[in-house]
Amino acid sequence: MIKTTVRALAAAALALLPLAATVPAHAAETLSLHDAIKALPQAAESRDGYERSKFKHWIDEDKDGCNTRNEVLLAEALTPPTVTAGCKLTGGTWSSYYDDKVVEGPSGLDIDHMVPLAEAWDSGASQWTAARRQAYANDLGSERSLVAVTARSNRQKADQDPATWMPPAADAQCTYLADWVATKLRWSLTVDRDERDTLRARAVDCEDTDVEYDRV
């Protein structure tokens, strides 16, 4: 089950749960996957100076007691968890679209940054302010930016881009490419040559896939 289906099933459960405030965005644009990849600026990558701590997360921006991790879990739950004091979550079920696994309970899930923090640094975030890096690391303004997946798949992915890692579930491939490209466009991040070549090659099998995104 792809992520968009998961979000739709969870929407009703979220009606009374406000999400954290996000950076104001421009009007959404929609491109074919091919054209969206073409729109990505190409540049060499550098990890000089990267430290994960330079992207502050998980925060509780709207002060409702639930940090970004828990906001994502609440947003993506197939079966809503029980929420108790301190935004402690118990029970619930989730679908990890990377590996097409259904997970019971939140402890088996990681919240993955679609474009990993290290990759974002390599691709332009090294030049950002601390405030913009924090906004990126806690981006609840786009359903593509953060995703609840099995801890196993998230740790296999680590900080790799699509040139070296793709989700193992066959049905996830085109969705993942669209999510990756949309996130890079949203945050005006670059791609390197190998990444661009891989995206173009893999997009051949995703002719009917569109990319919807807004810029921040």
Side-chain angles (χ1 to χ4, degrees):
M1 181 180 299
I2 64 174
K3 182 171 57 174
T4 51
T5 302
V6 173
R7 300 274 183 170
L9 290 171
L14 291 174
L16 301 178
L17 291 169
L19 293 180
T22 56
V23 178
H26 300 289
E29 298 182 49
T30 302
L31 297 172
S32 69
L33 180 56
H34 172 80
D35 287 343
I37 294 168
K38 187 176 180 180
L40 289 167
Q42 183 174 315
E45 293 186 353
S46 173
R47 195 157 298 183
D48 291 350
Y50 170 72
E51 295 177 6
R52 188 173 176 83
S53 60
K54 291 182 178 179
F55 293 80
K56 184 178 179 181
H57 64 291
W58 305 111
I59 65 170
D60 177 13
E61 188 170 356
D62 63 359
K63 310 302 181 187
D64 69 347
C66 295
N67 65 15
T68 303
R69 171 184 163 81
N70 283 352
E71 297 277 16
V72 175
L73 290 171
L74 289 166
E76 296 195 355
L78 290 175
T79 304
T82 299
V83 184
T84 55
C87 200
K88 181 179 180 180
L89 308 183
T90 55
T93 59
W94 288 263
S95 176
S96 169
Y97 95 94
Y98 288 0
D99 45 8
D100 196 24
K101 303 288 186 184
V102 174
V103 180
E104 296 185 1
S107 62
L109 294 159
D110 282 355
I111 304 304
D112 183 41
H113 290 92
M114 174 54 57
V115 175
L117 301 181
E119 169 69 19
W121 178 273
D122 299 349
S123 306
S126 60
Q127 304 302 309
W128 293 352
T129 64
R132 185 169 174 85
R133 286 196 291 268
Q134 176 176 300
Y136 177 83
N138 298 275
D139 183 14
L140 294 172
S142 170
E143 68 176 30
R144 300 175 181 274
S145 297
L146 300 168
V147 55
V149 295
T150 59
R152 176 186 176 90
S153 64
N154 183 49
R155 293 164 197 182
Q156 287 175 339
K157 173 182 173 179
D159 58 7
Q160 299 178 83
D161 69 27
T164 54
W165 189 89
M166 286 288 290
D171 290 345
Q173 305 285 305
C174 294
T175 299
Y176 186 78
L177 292 175
D179 287 356
W180 181 275
V181 173
T183 303
K184 286 227 160 177
L185 287 171
R186 174 171 168 78
W187 288 92
S188 301
L189 295 170
T190 62
V191 291
D192 63 22
R193 184 181 298 277
D194 287 347
E195 182 183 351
R196 180 187 289 279
D197 290 348
T198 298
L199 291 171
R200 285 173 170 168
R202 291 186 179 277
V204 171
D205 295 326
C206 304
E207 292 183 356
D208 296 328
T209 300
D210 288 335
V211 175
E212 182 176 341
Y213 68 97
D214 50 17
R215 295 185 187 272
V216 295

